[in-house]
C-alpha cells in the first residue's frame, strides 16, 4: 500500500521509538489518517503507536483535541497555532510520549493567496514540553502533497525519537 521508501522510513522510526522507549500519537487533518496508516502498516507497530486522531473538520479538532474555537476562528484551520494546539491535544488525550499533527491545503481547490495549495503546518511535541511547528510547502497534486506530508511527519517523529534515546 505504501512505497518501499515510506515503509523503510517507518520501520526505522518504529525501531528508534522502541530504543527510546516512546509511544506515538498522530493528529491529522489534510492527510486523513495516512500517517497512522503508514505506521500501522508495519506488523508489530502496536508497541509504539498509541493512537491516531483524524480531525478533518473544525468540530472534530475542537471535540477530540480541544483546539479552541477562538483560535480556529481567528487564525483558520491551516495555521501554526492550530497545528500546535492539535499536537498538544493529541498528547493530552493519549498516553503517548511524542506526537505529530498536520493541517494544510492539499488541493486541488481550497487554496488562496495567503494559504496556497501545498501549504502544510506540522506540529511536533514531546510530553511536558512546549510544542513547535514547521511550515512546509509542497508542489504537486493532492496525492503528492499528502504523500510529502506523511514523509515529513515521519521524519519529524524520528527526530524526536532519536533526540530522546535512552543512554545504554
Amino acid at each position: 500500500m505504501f512505497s518501499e521508501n515510506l515503509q523503510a522510513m517507518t520501520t526505522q522510526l518504529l525501531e528508534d521509538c522502541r530504543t527510546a522507549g516512546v509511544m506515538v500519537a498522530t493528529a491529522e487533518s489534510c492527510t486523513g489518517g495516512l500517517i497512522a496508516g503508514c505506521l500501522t502498516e508495519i506488523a508489530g507497530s502496536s508497541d509504539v503507536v498509541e493512537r491516531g486522531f483524524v480531525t478533518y473538520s473544525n468540530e472534530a479538532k475542537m471535540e477530540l483535541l480541544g483546539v479552541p474555537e477562538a483560535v480556529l476562528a481567528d487564525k483558520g484551520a491551516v495555521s501554526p497555532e492550530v497545528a500546535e494546539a492539535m499536537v498538544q491535544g493529541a498528547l493530552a488525550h493519549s498516553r503517548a510520549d511524542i506526537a505529530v499533527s498536520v493541517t494544510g491545503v492539499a488541493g486541488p481547490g481550497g487554496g488562496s493567496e495567503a494559504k496556497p495549495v501545498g501549504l502544510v503546518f506540522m506540529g511536533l511535541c514531546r510530553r511536558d514540553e512546549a510544542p513547535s511547528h514547521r511550515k512546509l510547502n509542497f508542489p504537486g497534486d493532492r496525492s503528492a502533497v499528502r504523500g510529502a506530508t506523511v514523509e515529513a511527519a515521519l521524519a519529524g517523529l524520528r527526530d524526536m525519537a532519536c533526540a530522546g534515546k535512552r543512554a545504554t
Side-chain angles (χ1 to χ4, degrees), residues 69-147:
E69 183 175 11
V71 173
L72 285 161
D74 189 43
K75 302 297 182 179
V78 179
S79 65
E81 293 85 359
V82 168
E84 289 185 5
M86 287 173 65
V87 78
Q88 287 178 301
L91 287 173
H93 294 65
S94 74
R95 295 178 299 114
D97 304 292
I98 60 175
V100 64
S101 68
V102 292
T103 183
V105 185
S112 67
E113 188 174 319
K115 296 180 182 181
V117 170
L119 174 65
V120 175
F121 289 99
M122 178 172 62
L124 297 162
C125 196
R126 179 177 293 283
R127 184 167 297 284
D128 299 325
E129 292 184 9
S132 64
H133 72 271
R134 296 178 185 171
K135 180 180 179 180
L136 309 166
N137 288 285
F138 298 116
D141 63 10
R142 182 177 184 83
S143 181
V145 170
R146 287 165 42 110

Side-chain angles (χ1 to χ4, degrees), residues 19-39:
T19 299
V22 296
M23 297 280 290
V24 173
T26 64
E28 303 179 61
S29 186
C30 60
T31 52
L34 290 173
I35 301 165
C38 192
L39 289 166

